[in-house]
Amino acid sequence: MRSITVGTTQRQYPAIRNFLDSPVPGVEFVRTGNALRYPNHALFKLFGHVDPMLDNLHVGARGCDLIHFFNRVSLGSTPWVTTFETVLPRWDQHRPKAIRWGLKLLAGKPCRRLIAFSECTAGLQRALLAAHPDLADAILPKITVLHPLQRPLVDGPKLAPAAGEPVRFVIVGADFFRKGGGEVLRVFDRLLERGAPLRLDIVSTLAFGDYASHATAADQAEAIRLIARWPGAIVHHERLANEGVLDLLRQAHVGLLPSWADTYGYSVLEAQAAGCPVITTDIRALPEVNDDAQGWVIPVPKDPRGNGLTGTADERRALSAAIEAGVEQAVTAILADPASVAAKGAKAFARIATMHSPEAHGLRLRTIYEEALGG
């Protein structure tokens, strides 16, 4: 087996989850430079933000056979592949000339594979290419789907909550309100008021102002009030290291991601790997990783791309109402039948081993890299 050196310019969580942490046989990941980081850094210093085109472009590579990006494309001649979450190029879709130029980079010889991290993502890319038929023939064969890997976090499926034991739920995410946290808190407040045996762990800074929910400081203040109302039953962890989050999931019974907007939902995989079934919405890739056999799925109003409808105040109210009703229905069903948690959790845990195996992921990446280098 030939050794392959794969360059990367990114060390963020998505890159770790999708390739840097993959046990790829005979592959060494090395850090490589990007000349465009210097003008981007200057823009950030001057104006407090980066240019979205520069931020998702790359120039320059040393000491590697090929480069693997996340959401980025290259101007260079070194062979490259990229894992992506929505569409490429990841630029303003209202700049057609820029999009056209970016698609020509995807059609070029140095671009060897476009690795969509879900079927939803692959479908969005194909839909974009439908408007560019002269480039589609060169790009479509490069698209492949590879879901993130996930290692098991427990040895096997969990038991159902014991009689008299609170059912433990966990929700994780800095953008608390975009993740459905506001709706979760209102549901738990009502159910705890009725004496339901529940515990909710929240790992979040309770950030507000996200692009989907448009939550405000008043929403944050209300969340803090509800948390304070139920000490011991609702526990807020402002920040936890990743291992601390995983420990919470190991102790929990059910995960929560009733999200307004997410491209994937890594916390769903982590919860399932800890033997927890998950309550999710049905946006974007979530139906690919959760269903009613192994969890609970809340149908919400969506656009043709699978995104929750959040464009107007009325749409946001309707989406919030659907999430809140769905969370309450699922939690009430769990309280009525705690054994369902163990049954669904066992299926979720088995799914992780089948669909997100690190070993299978590593072998698939090895094949992608070999094909990218011509065999």
Side-chain angles (χ1 to χ4, degrees):
M1 178 184 292
R2 65 174 288 195
S3 62
I4 300 174
T5 302
V6 177
T8 179
T9 61
Q10 298 152 295
R11 298 282 169 173
Q12 296 93 336
Y13 193 64
I16 292 170
R17 290 304 310 267
N18 284 280
F19 52 93
L20 290 179
D21 199 32
S22 186
V24 191
V27 166
E28 179 187 7
F29 290 102
V30 298
R31 193 69 178 264
T32 190
N34 182 9
L36 293 178
R37 72 186 179 94
Y38 299 107
N40 226 358
H41 181 71
L43 283 172
F44 183 78
K45 285 290 188 181
L46 287 170
F47 303 109
H49 62 83
V50 298
D51 181 273
M53 283 186 64
L54 286 179
D55 195 40
N56 289 293
L57 271 174
H58 176 269
V59 175
R62 296 179 182 175
C64 58
D65 298 307
L66 78 158
I67 314 170
H68 194 155
F69 302 113
F70 188 85
N71 281 341
R72 190 168 284 175
V73 300
S74 177
L75 293 169
S77 59
T78 302
W80 56 275
V81 303
T82 188
T83 298
F84 66 108
E85 60 183 322
T86 302
V87 294
L88 294 172
R90 191 177 170 85
W91 303 334
D92 186 347
Q93 297 299 305
H94 299 292
R95 298 167 68 180
K97 290 183 179 179
I99 296 300
R100 179 81 181 168
W101 178 61
L103 290 175
K104 288 180 179 179
L105 294 176
L106 302 186
K109 184 178 179 181
C111 173
R112 302 299 173 87
R113 286 291 182 274
L114 305 175
I115 308 170
F117 74 177
S118 71
E119 293 290 348
C120 175
T121 294
L124 293 176
Q125 187 70 38
R126 294 184 185 110
L128 174 63
L129 291 171
H132 302 269
D134 58 319
L135 296 174
D137 286 347
I139 298 173
L140 284 171
K142 300 180 183 183
I143 298 173
T144 189
V145 176
L146 180 60
H147 284 263
L149 65 104
Q150 177 63 58
R151 290 178 171 81
L153 298 178
V154 292
D155 293 333
K158 294 177 177 176
L159 299 175
E165 177 188 10
V167 184
R168 297 188 60 162
F169 295 76
V170 175
I171 183 169
V172 180
D175 278 352
F176 180 68
F177 299 96
R178 178 171 63 84
K179 302 290 184 180
E183 291 77 15
V184 167
L185 272 178
R186 290 192 290 274
V187 168
F188 274 68
D189 179 57
R190 287 195 295 272
L191 294 177
L192 287 166
E193 183 73 43
R194 299 171 197 162
L198 298 170
R199 169 167 168 155
L200 172 64
D201 280 277
I202 298 168
V203 184
S204 178
T205 58
L206 304 183
F208 61 89
D210 65 84
Y211 65 90
S213 74
H214 294 207
T216 65
D219 295 312
Q220 184 191 59
E222 176 64 5
I224 292 170
R225 184 189 73 80
L226 291 177
I227 291 168
R229 188 177 183 217
W230 299 104
I234 300 180
V235 181
H236 177 214
H237 314 264
E238 185 173 0
R239 287 181 176 84
L240 280 180
N242 185 247
E243 190 56 38
V245 173
L246 301 184
D247 281 341
L248 274 183
L249 290 171
R250 292 183 183 103
Q251 299 166 37
H253 299 113
V254 180
L256 289 160
L257 190 64
S259 187
W260 290 55
D262 260 300
T263 56
Y264 197 90
Y266 298 116
S267 66
V268 174
L269 302 189
E270 291 165 342
Q272 292 172 335
C276 298
V278 188
I279 301 171
T280 70
T281 52
D282 62 347
I283 60 169
R284 292 294 296 270
L286 289 176
E288 297 177 43
V289 298
N290 193 37
D291 59 34
D292 287 321
Q294 60 198 350
W296 299 265
V297 178
I298 303 167
V300 298
K302 297 179 295 298
D303 67 17
R305 293 162 61 92
N307 296 304
L309 292 176
T310 62
T312 68
D314 284 344
E315 287 175 338
R316 290 191 292 275
R317 280 191 289 270
L319 182 61
S320 177
I323 292 172
E324 189 166 334
V327 170
E328 184 154 9
Q329 181 179 356
V331 176
T332 301
I334 290 166
L335 291 171
D337 182 16
S340 67
V341 173
K344 288 176 182 275
K347 292 177 181 177
F349 184 77
R351 183 194 165 279
I352 289 295
T354 302
M355 303 301 296
H356 299 272
S357 159
E359 293 73 24
H361 189 279
L363 290 173
R364 178 77 186 287
L365 263 187
R366 172 76 198 193
T367 299
I368 289 171
Y369 293 157
E370 287 179 343
E371 291 173 350
L373 293 171

